[in-house]
Amino acid sequence: MRTQPRPPSTGRSLEHPDRDLIRLEDVLHALSDPMRLRIVCTLAGSEAEQSCSVFDLPVSKSTTTHHFRVLRESGVISQIYRGTAKMNALRRDDLEELFPGLLGSVLAAADRQAARRETAAR
Amino acid sequence: MRTQPRPPSTGRSLEHPDRDLIRLEDVLHALSDPMRLRIVCTLAGSEAEQSCSVFDLPVSKSTTTHHFRVLRESGVISQIYRGTAKMNALRRDDLEELFPGLLGSVLAAADRQAARRETAAR
DNA sequence: CGGTTCGTACGATACCCATCGTAGTACGCC
DNA sequence: GGCGTACTACGATGGGTATCGTACGAACCG
């Protein structure tokens, strides 16, 4: 189903925890930050990988880098370099295998809360 | 269905966030600490309220108090004084209403992880 | 009342962490 | 090679927080 050949990943590699080493506490901690939750929601909204730069976060670039690293090291996302860009993707399958339903309920909860906030603001 | 009349709560009262003020980020943060996750799992294991003292945590009493307060202020548990004891209960209904399925998947995930760890240790 | 049990309040401490700015590296392109 | 883009590394900083010990308060029991 992949129609477009993607640029190959470059030599730079990034540390990812093995699936069996992902800890629930770390995942929950990673998701408990508003910026990171926002990143994860955005990532969940599209099937494809997203480069770091498409996220328009109200923090500096170095802080953004920090959040992506926390997400990667906790096992929530995977990252790979493609040229100068760094592509991000949710580790849906690994998380689903380890903690069935967890990611889905967190994403749904985040959506509901966003909707609630919108209603309250009106 | 309540057969045993319980001792009345005493005058001392405790602040609880209204259901609509419970924030997902705070709940996730509360659950991201190993001690607190353990407390919540224990609490989920029995339908009844549990006094603080039945939790045998490997930390001091003052630290235990701290963790229960975090759980209460984040909206995860409710607490009420009964005599000298302080009874704790999960706010299942409120959480289910706000974030359907979330608590269940976190608890299931914690169970699975505990089981995995046990297997790995053997 | 005195003692016991249960939990709190407070201060201290050490660590974690979200944030920033600046300087730097890696890559693609002209 | 030189330039621009994308991201990183590092150090600093301020605020949060998990932990403790000690001293205290509130309720029950004799």
Side-chain angles (χ1 to χ4, degrees), chain A residues 52-53 61 65 86:
Chain A
C52 289
S53 53
K61 286 217 303 177
T65 297
K86 191 164 153 188

Side-chain angles (χ1 to χ4, degrees), chain A residues 20-21, chain B residues 112-122:
Chain A
D20 289 352
L21 293 181
Chain B
R112 280 174 82 95
Q113 177 165 290
R116 265 196 305 135
R117 269 208 265 260
E118 218 165 82
T119 308
R122 222 179 311 136

Side-chain angles (χ1 to χ4, degrees), chain B residues 22-55:
Chain B
I22 296 177
R23 297 191 330 150
L24 176 60
E25 297 90 326
D26 294 339
V27 170
L28 294 176
H29 174 249
L31 296 176
S32 71
D33 180 276
M35 290 299 155
R36 292 194 291 261
L37 189 55
R38 184 163 153 176
I39 290 172
V40 170
C41 287
T42 304
L43 229 35
S46 88
E47 282 301 313
E49 304 171 319
Q50 301 286 319
S51 83
C52 289
S53 53
V54 310
F55 297 85

Side-chain angles (χ1 to χ4, degrees), chain B residues 74-95:
Chain B
S74 67
V76 176
I77 67 171
S78 62
Q79 297 189 291
I80 187 175
Y81 286 106
R82 293 197 197 283
T84 61
K86 190 163 154 191
M87 306 303 291
N88 304 277
L90 280 179
R91 292 180 67 175
R92 292 178 191 270
D93 295 348
D94 286 335
L95 292 175

